[in-house]
Amino acid sequence: MPDAIPPDSSATQSLPADASSIDALPISECLDELTSVLAQAQPVVLQAPPGAGKTTGIPPALLNSNAAGDGKTLLIQPRRIAARAAAHRLAAAMACRVGDTVGYHVRFDKRYGKDTRLISMTTGMLLRRMQSDPFLEDISCVVLDEFHERSLEIDLALGMLQRIRTSLRPELRLLVMSATLSPEPIAKFLGDAHTMISKGRSFPVDVRYSKQISQESIENKIVHALPKMLEETTGHVLIFLPGIGEINRTQQAISSCSWAEDFQIHRLYGDLPAKDQDDVLRTSKKRRVILSTNVAETSLTIPGVTGVIDSGLVRTMQVDSQIGLPKLQLESISQASAEQRAGRAGRT
């Protein structure tokens, strides 16, 4: 089983989903209860660890059981790359093409039609849709995935959905999913929500920490840690770095090493062209080292990753109190983010 070793820190028609593959996911233990509650239009708040199969297993189960209702289902993701990747993964599981039963809608890119039943979209696209269609009249179910990635957008979306559900559309199904966030506060806000906790995860993850703090540059730390990771794991290695600058410097540092000829080096970040993002998410026979920002922290499953090196850092937008303007600031990640990053290796 794969180990993560971070040395340095209509509507009733059944879909052709592979039921055996869904049953194999740890989240399958919750599906009967979840679909039963949602079918009664009672909101559900679900907590399940990384690798449990929330994004992959729950949407097909909702559609197959008709718990999502007769309208379309929206699967809301915090990032564009996650929304597109989820659509491709779900379409493959349901044996259909992207744009048919399953589609997606992100900024500057959308693939869905009038017969699409499940649309994976970003939070921003949901808010824009609610401006033109404030009652979401053709939508019967909304799934807020990765809710632990709290933001003004996702909080606003939850508040607007709650207002729609409690004032005009009590039949609207709502499911809030998180890997690390406690479900009780969200359930309290929703009032009548049913809380569920799943303990299962796909594979065990072995976490190791650096025994000493070094003042070396990030790229040098990675160059020192990577050979040991490559020896102790057999698959791809995912390396989390705070920004594009660190990614480029680390790529140059690794490429200059003689042992780097045995694998491919890929970069992964939000502004990377969609084609290049999709290439990283495809299966590969040759071993890979993937240098990524936190875009790979949640929702994404990169096939074949058996090791994660986590720098423990992230760049976030903060307001400079002296000049009153936003700026990117380097800071340590939260414990929840660390768990998410480590969980990237325990998925397949």
Side-chain angles (χ1 to χ4, degrees), residues 224-270:
H224 293 153
L226 184 55
K228 184 177 180 182
M229 173 70 77
L230 293 170
E231 290 178 3
E232 296 188 352
T233 63
T234 58
H236 308 319
V237 176
L238 176 61
I239 302 175
F240 283 100
L241 296 162
I244 299 176
E246 289 82 4
I247 287 177
N248 292 336
R249 292 195 299 271
T250 302
Q251 182 180 26
Q252 293 174 358
I254 295 175
S255 298
S256 65
C257 300
S258 59
W259 42 265
E261 299 177 355
D262 298 331
F263 53 82
Q264 299 172 337
I265 302 176
H266 291 266
R267 300 181 301 165
L268 183 60
Y269 51 88

Side-chain angles (χ1 to χ4, degrees), residues 143-206:
V143 180
L144 299 179
D145 198 6
E146 309 295 351
F147 195 79
H148 52 267
E149 289 204 30
R150 297 291 297 277
S151 66
L152 181 61
E153 281 188 336
I154 193 66
D155 284 3
L156 177 59
L158 178 64
M160 295 176 70
L161 289 168
Q162 172 69 350
R163 184 167 186 176
I164 294 172
R165 192 182 68 83
T166 56
S167 59
L168 295 167
R169 293 200 54 203
E171 79 282 1
L172 180 66
R173 276 79 161 171
L174 177 61
L175 170 60
V176 182
M177 301 195 300
S178 170
T180 55
L181 195 64
S182 174
E184 285 77 13
I186 308 170
K188 183 178 180 181
F189 169 74
L190 295 175
D192 58 340
H194 179 76
T195 60
M196 298 177 60
I197 297 178
S198 172
K199 298 293 186 181
R201 69 182 308 153
S202 294
F203 298 103
V205 176
D206 177 21

Side-chain angles (χ1 to χ4, degrees), residues 272-342:
L272 195 69
K275 179 182 180 301
D276 295 333
Q277 292 178 351
D278 293 341
D279 287 342
V280 177
L281 300 180
R282 292 192 179 98
T283 57
S284 172
K285 293 183 179 179
K286 187 167 184 179
R287 203 170 188 192
R288 291 174 168 179
V289 170
I290 302 158
L291 310 176
S292 176
T293 61
N294 61 353
V295 297
E297 187 174 300
T298 60
S299 299
L300 292 183
T301 295
I302 302 176
V305 169
T306 58
V308 171
I309 299 178
D310 182 5
S311 68
L313 298 172
V314 67
R315 273 197 169 83
T316 58
M317 191 69 70
Q318 303 287 345
V319 175
D320 190 325
S321 59
Q322 294 183 338
I323 61 177
L325 294 175
K327 68 174 183 179
L328 284 173
Q329 184 169 322
L330 186 67
E331 59 184 31
S332 298
I333 61 174
S334 65
Q335 183 176 348
S337 292
E339 292 176 6
Q340 286 285 349
R341 293 181 177 191

Side-chain angles (χ1 to χ4, degrees), residues 130-145:
M130 294 173 77
Q131 287 181 319
S132 58
D133 180 17
F135 303 137
L136 299 177
E137 294 182 356
D138 63 337
I139 306 301
S140 60
C141 181
V142 179
V143 180
L144 299 179
D145 198 6

Side-chain angles (χ1 to χ4, degrees), residues 84-97:
R84 289 190 300 103
H88 283 281
R89 192 161 69 250
L90 288 166
M94 297 180 184
C96 67
R97 296 183 303 175

